[in-house]
Amino acid sequence: MTNLDGVWDFAFTAARDDVPCYNSAMSVPGCFDVAGMYYSKRGCGWYKKNITVAENGVYRLRIASSGMRTAVFINGEMKKDSPFAWSPTEVEFPAEKGTVEIVIRTDNFSEDHPLFRDFYDFYPFGGIFDHVTLTKVEVDEIRSIQVFPLSHETGEVEIHVETAAATLQIAFDGVEYKTMPTEKVFRCNVPNFKVWSPDTPNLHTVTINGKDAVFGIRTLDWSGPDLLLNGEKIKLIGVNRHESHPEFGSATPESLIATDLIMLKEAGHNFVRGSHYPQREFLFDMCDRLGLMVWEEPLAWGNCHKPQWGNGKVPDDFLENSVFVETLAEQLEITIRNSINHPSLIIHGFLNECSSEHPEVRDVIKRYVDICHRMDPTRPATFACNRVAKDLGMEFCDIQAINIYPGWYSDEGLENVIPTIDKYLKENISDKKPFMISEIGASAIYGDHSGIRWSEEYQSDLCCLVLDKVLTDPRCMGLALWHFANANTYINNVMAISRPRGFNNKGLLDEYRRPKMVWRDLRRILKCKNK
Ligand code: ADA
């Protein structure tokens, strides 16, 4: 595999069919609209590179994560045009020994994107967010390995293999296990296995015909009101997190992702909701290794079955629009498939604050839960619901997850926070399945110590109240505070007036990861609890 990261020739055009003039250069990975002359400009980034292949063959180009719509051109011919923002884009193409011209066009348009709209509360950066690699495709290669852990007591796993090879040569953790005629699905017990958990994040590697897949052995059970990890009740305590930084946009360097997650773990959290799009592979590798648990979801936000946002500019589509519904179904499948081996992934999510009070949307939710269950019966599926009192979709989900903002988007202050949670628990939440708060929080401007709304004190008081509630109330299985760090959001529309500086300021850290008061206060509580 060849890594093609580095500096590529670059052109910016306002429209997709404008002719690019490569008079500039841009870093890969990197976002073109994060700084400098293209800052906040909507348009296309064209990245061009000539590479040399040593022999004739079929090659696979893989862009691990990129902007809203990503097209790949090989020697001038378009091979793919993918709308799956943040997901990997892969193309396979035949090439003869010699030079191959690769062009990647990726944009930050929202108007005609099937899944993104301008009113979403995060900025759609343009660029190549993650590594670009080239691999020679072998006819008999192992195209994929999926490992489903079945028992934390025996180490039994079910392995799914996609290949045209006639035999499978299997090793676990570098030790030969067996060679057998190819079976697409088989079960076995991992020798000398060790269980994965947040406290013991043990990992194993299965190697099949030379291809590695890292996995962990742990089980989840959500058949009662608690979530059980390896047979034991667990509480999820953590944050929502955007892949966002003012200097890097969504092309956050791995060193930053690593530091974010190490900080989170060190501060006593065990959970991250990857809001609101597919997560980077490196984030999962780190969470596997550190013992952080993850909720992942495809791209969506605040989608209604009829227009609700955006000053009438938003067409009446989304949940009644088959393009949106089908594209999201496809990205849900892609997202599940890509992350399936990571033990840290414990919840499959989809949608976020959709109009789940409508009967039509109820069917869409049921369909997405069915997709999750069909593709992966070993993990629970859910969506973050904010129509709690009128919702029709949670009944299909394995976990009841609600987004609520008492004390923030309401006239009442802190005194309203716990009564609101109790009211939902009493009136809307079933005691038959796990319940978690998937978002709650308050904005704070770093350095504001006035003590009123927007101050670090107010934010901290609110979040500490909620943390204490979730830790002490046995009905609460989890908490994902909104959110880890301030993240770039609306800058070009009227919603920006509630988002000073173009950031969603509810971060426990500011956008440069400077801790607000809340970070230290929560850490203190979590450290005491874990003593
Ligand atoms: C919603 C949404 C988040 C964020 C949050 C807020 O719950 O899911 O993405 O926008 O509100 O800050 O208001």
Side-chain angles (χ1 to χ4, degrees):
M1 186 171 76
T2 314
N3 185 315
L4 300 180
D5 294 353
V7 175
W8 289 39
D9 293 340
F10 183 78
F12 177 86
T13 60
R16 289 198 188 99
D17 47 13
D18 289 350
V19 178
C21 165
Y22 293 94
N23 54 5
S24 187
M26 197 61 71
S27 164
V28 172
C31 288
F32 60 79
D33 53 354
V34 82
M37 60 201 291
Y38 309 116
Y39 174 64
S40 93
K41 280 205 176 139
R42 289 290 161 96
C44 299
W46 299 73
Y47 298 74
K48 183 163 78 98
K49 191 180 193 72
N50 286 339
I51 55 153
T52 307
V53 297
E55 48 184 338
N56 297 351
V58 175
Y59 290 83
R60 179 185 306 117
L61 182 82
R62 183 168 202 270
I63 305 152
S65 177
S66 52
M68 295 302 102
R69 188 176 270 282
T70 299
V72 178
F73 303 79
I74 302 294
N75 293 330
E77 193 188 327
M78 187 196 274
K79 296 286 183 189
K80 189 143 204 171
D81 187 5
S82 163
F84 301 116
W86 280 277
S87 289
T89 303
E90 279 191 10
V91 296
E92 289 184 12
F93 59 91
E96 287 175 10
K97 178 176 177 210
T99 305
V100 176
E101 184 197 80
I102 301 173
V103 168
I104 300 170
R105 185 194 69 202
T106 182
D107 62 52
N108 57 10
F109 295 126
S110 51
E111 302 77 31
D112 63 350
H113 194 276
L115 296 178
F116 196 92
R117 286 294 182 276
D118 256 353
F119 65 82
Y120 288 12
D121 189 5
F122 48 100
Y123 187 74
F125 288 101
I128 297 176
F129 305 157
D130 202 351
H131 305 300
V132 179
T133 51
L134 188 76
T135 314
K136 186 157 187 293
V137 176
E138 304 296 341
V139 179
D140 279 359
E141 72 176 13
I142 302 289
R143 295 191 83 93
S144 81
I145 303 173
Q146 298 196 333
V147 186
F148 297 89
L150 300 180
S151 166
H152 62 274
E153 279 163 350
T154 62
E156 189 183 20
V157 293
E158 182 172 287
I159 301 188
H160 297 212
V161 186
E162 212 190 314
T163 184
T167 53
L168 303 181
Q169 212 178 352
I170 307 166
F172 283 105
D173 302 314
V175 179
E176 202 176 313
Y177 179 71
K178 72 168 163 185
T179 300
M180 62 181 208
T182 296
E183 288 177 30
K184 287 197 162 37
V185 179
F186 60 93
R187 291 185 177 192
C188 58
N189 288 2
V190 176
N192 305 317
F193 76 96
K194 287 188 182 151
V195 168
W196 186 96
S197 75
D199 292 335
T200 58
N202 295 301
L203 297 172
H204 291 281
T205 304
V206 61
T207 309
I208 305 182
N209 298 3
K211 185 180 172 82
D212 289 343
V214 176
F215 65 98
I217 295 177
R218 53 114 192 85
T219 56
L220 296 163
D221 180 339
W222 57 91
S223 52
D226 299 315
L227 179 66
L228 307 184
L229 179 80
N230 302 323
E232 284 174 25
K233 180 173 166 173
I234 187 148
K235 270 198 205 255
L236 311 177
I237 302 292
V239 294
N240 286 267
R241 180 179 174 280
H242 270 298
E243 207 57 78
S244 180
H245 186 282
E247 284 175 31
F248 309 108
S250 284
T252 41
E254 289 177 355
S255 55
L256 178 80
I257 299 177
T259 311
D260 281 1
L261 298 171
I262 291 165
M263 280 177 81
L264 198 63
K265 175 86 182 180
E266 192 279 328
H269 300 264
N270 65 14
F271 180 69
V272 186
R273 175 174 173 227
S275 47
H276 299 291
Y277 34 77
Q279 300 297 294
R280 297 261 294 278
E281 285 157 5
F282 183 79
L283 176 133
F284 275 115
D285 290 344
M286 281 302 297
C287 290
D288 288 350
R289 178 175 176 167
L290 293 172
L292 287 165
M293 295 171 283
V294 183
W295 158 331
E296 189 182 34
E297 60 195 29
L299 172 58
W301 191 92
N303 306 106
C304 296
H305 78 307
K306 290 284 184 212
Q308 174 183 315
W309 302 83
N311 307 325
K313 279 194 295 183
V314 181
D316 57 337
D317 50 14
F318 295 121
L319 293 158
E320 279 189 348
N321 173 343
S322 62
V323 175
F324 176 85
V325 173
E326 296 308 320
T327 312
L328 187 55
E330 218 179 314
Q331 194 178 39
L332 177 60
E333 294 197 2
I334 293 169
T335 306
I336 294 174
R337 206 175 304 122
N338 282 336
S339 308
I340 205 106
N341 291 338
H342 292 282
S344 55
L345 174 63
I346 61 152
I347 297 174
H348 294 303
F350 53 81
L351 291 167
N352 172 64
E353 304 193 341
C354 61
S355 57
S356 62
E357 71 276 29
H358 287 280
E360 307 89 318
V361 178
R362 181 191 160 149
D363 297 342
V364 176
I365 291 169
K366 179 172 183 322
R367 173 166 171 213
Y368 291 159
V369 173
D370 289 346
I371 290 177
C372 297
H373 288 168
R374 171 174 53 76
M375 294 190 68
D376 181 8
T378 70
R379 292 174 174 95
T382 193
F383 73 102
C385 175
N386 73 336
R387 311 290 214 270
V388 191
K390 296 184 186 155
D391 168 79
L392 300 173
M394 271 199 290
E395 68 168 290
F396 302 112
C397 297
D398 301 314
I399 291 174
Q400 304 167 93
I402 67 170
N403 290 0
I404 49 172
Y405 285 87
W408 187 253
Y409 294 123
S410 65
D411 288 338
E412 297 96 343
L414 295 177
E415 72 289 349
N416 186 39
V417 174
I418 303 304
T420 303
I421 298 174
D422 280 332
K423 187 166 182 294
Y424 283 127
L425 277 167
K426 185 157 172 256
E427 293 174 10
N428 310 105
I429 297 301
S430 150
D431 58 4
K432 302 274 180 303
K433 47 182 161 182
F435 161 74
M436 69 179 291
I437 301 176
S438 36
E439 284 185 32
I440 195 164
S443 294
I445 298 294
Y446 181 83
D448 178 344
H449 292 291
S450 62
I452 57 172
R453 286 189 197 213
W454 292 97
S455 71
E456 292 193 28
E457 283 80 357
Y458 188 88
Q459 179 194 35
S460 180
D461 288 350
L462 190 149
C463 292
C464 289
L465 275 176
V466 176
L467 176 62
D468 181 62
K469 170 74 180 166
V470 173
L471 289 176
T472 53
D473 190 325
R475 294 168 298 176
C476 299
M477 179 278 283
L479 167 65
L481 290 163
W482 185 266
H483 54 160
F484 174 70
N486 292 351
N488 297 71
T489 186
Y490 321 113
I491 44 178
N492 291 325
N493 68 19
V494 68
M495 315 272 268
I497 57 178
S498 64
R499 300 286 182 265
R501 312 169 307 122
F503 285 94
N504 183 312
N505 293 285
K506 298 188 188 74
L508 310 180
L509 309 169
D510 82 349
E511 60 276 16
Y512 292 106
R513 280 51 175 169
R514 291 181 301 179
K516 299 181 195 169
M517 186 179 265
V518 63
W519 180 265
R520 300 196 181 95
D521 292 346
L522 295 171
R523 181 178 179 278
R524 204 170 306 120
I525 299 173
L526 290 170
K527 287 284 168 189
C528 283
K529 170 196 145 260
N530 291 332
K531 259 194 193 140

